[in-house]
């Protein structure tokens, strides 16, 4: 139930200013919402169905030519009330659950080459995600300085979470490069 409620809150937040299809919502979760929440498309569709049953969102059907009709979701008054109530709650403490960190912790008992390969793959993913976040930042600022945007721009909440996503990925990159450097030096190959 707690996981469902957390996903529900993330969806309420994503729909707070605009309506969206499930497909577009899934894309948003991959790009902008990903800096504070992740969910598979199947999870999103299931949760949207539950939220519709609970009266938090309403869908309208949009006919498409050559493709199945799509459903566009928007918050209801009950959904806006639930979003407001969510913002009043004390957030749960951050908990890190990262399988790769457990693998690195087990380095001496595991396979260092496999761990190095996993970290290298993850480094590439961190760099790719950072590139997307920096592109979103550039588009959001649209030629303004960050100070100008924060002082007078609209919708600074998503921008502030974007800043957290950028710093998170920058730290992930720094950490992965450190791990790879240490493993390379210990293997004597400098990789």
């Amino acid at each position: 139930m707690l996981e469902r409620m957390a996903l529900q809150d993330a969806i309420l937040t994503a729909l707070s200013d605009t309506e969206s299809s499930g497909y577009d919502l899934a894309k948003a979760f991959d790009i902008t919402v990903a800096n504070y929440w992740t969910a598979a498309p199947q999870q999103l569709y299931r949760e949207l169905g539950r939220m519709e049953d609970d009266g938090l969102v309403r869908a309208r059907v949009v006919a498409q030519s050559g493709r199945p009709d799509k459903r566009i979701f928007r918050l209801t008054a009950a959904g806006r009330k639930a979003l407001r109530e969510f913002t009043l709650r004390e957030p749960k403490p951050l908990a890190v659950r990262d399988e790769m960190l457990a693998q690195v912790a087990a380095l001496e008992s595991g396979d260092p080459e496999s761990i190095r390969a996993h970290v290298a793959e993850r480094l590439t993913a961190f760099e790719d995600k950072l590139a997307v976040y920096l592109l979103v930042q550039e588009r959001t600022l649209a030629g303004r300085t960050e100070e100008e945007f924060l002082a007078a721009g609209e919708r600074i909440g998503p921008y502030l979470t974007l800043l957290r996503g950028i710093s998170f990925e920058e730290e992930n990159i720094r950490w992965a490069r450190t791990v790879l450097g240490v493993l390379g030096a210990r293997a004597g190959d400098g990789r």
Side-chain angles (χ1 to χ4, degrees):
M1 182 64 170
L2 289 178
E3 191 65 28
R4 176 179 172 209
M5 292 306 294
L7 178 55
Q8 175 180 293
D9 297 332
I11 292 172
L12 289 171
T13 300
L15 291 174
S16 64
D17 288 326
T18 187
E19 59 183 13
S20 178
S21 69
Y23 175 79
D24 289 336
L25 191 61
K27 283 184 4 188
F29 264 68
D30 278 346
I31 296 171
T32 57
V33 180
N35 57 52
Y36 61 88
W37 197 267
T38 59
Q42 303 89 318
Q43 291 173 292
L44 290 172
Y45 287 113
R46 273 194 310 268
E47 189 61 28
L48 282 167
R50 288 185 196 117
M51 292 170 69
E52 189 173 22
D53 291 345
D54 292 344
L56 300 176
V57 297
R58 182 171 300 128
R60 65 182 172 87
V61 177
V62 175
Q64 299 189 106
S65 176
R67 293 194 294 208
D69 294 347
K70 69 179 176 179
R71 300 177 74 216
I72 305 291
F73 295 89
R74 66 179 171 83
L75 294 183
T76 62
R80 292 201 177 282
K81 181 178 182 221
L83 179 59
R84 171 90 172 130
E85 289 170 0
F86 161 66
T87 65
L88 295 171
R89 288 195 317 254
E90 181 71 28
K92 297 176 185 81
L94 179 65
V96 176
R97 295 182 345 197
D98 189 331
E99 192 172 290
M100 189 177 66
L101 289 177
Q103 289 179 345
V104 171
L107 181 67
E108 288 74 17
S109 301
D111 180 349
E113 277 306 308
S114 291
I115 293 169
R116 184 181 352 199
H118 298 159
V119 173
E121 288 172 16
R122 195 70 81 80
L123 173 59
T124 299
F126 296 151
E127 290 168 337
D128 291 347
K129 189 174 276 190
L130 178 61
V132 169
Y133 289 169
L134 292 174
L135 183 60
V136 171
Q137 181 183 41
E138 182 181 330
R139 287 180 180 163
T140 302
L141 293 177
R144 296 171 284 190
T145 67
E146 186 170 86
E147 293 76 22
E148 290 169 338
F149 179 78
L150 292 173
E154 293 183 19
R155 298 208 13 88
I156 63 166
Y159 187 79
L160 293 172
T161 63
L162 176 66
L163 290 179
R164 176 64 176 109
I166 290 170
S167 63
F168 182 73
E169 295 308 330
E170 288 171 340
E171 172 54 25
N172 285 335
I173 290 167
R174 187 198 64 74
W175 175 82
R177 288 179 178 161
T178 298
V179 170
L180 293 174
V182 168
L183 295 179
R186 291 180 66 102
D189 62 10
R191 283 196 268 173

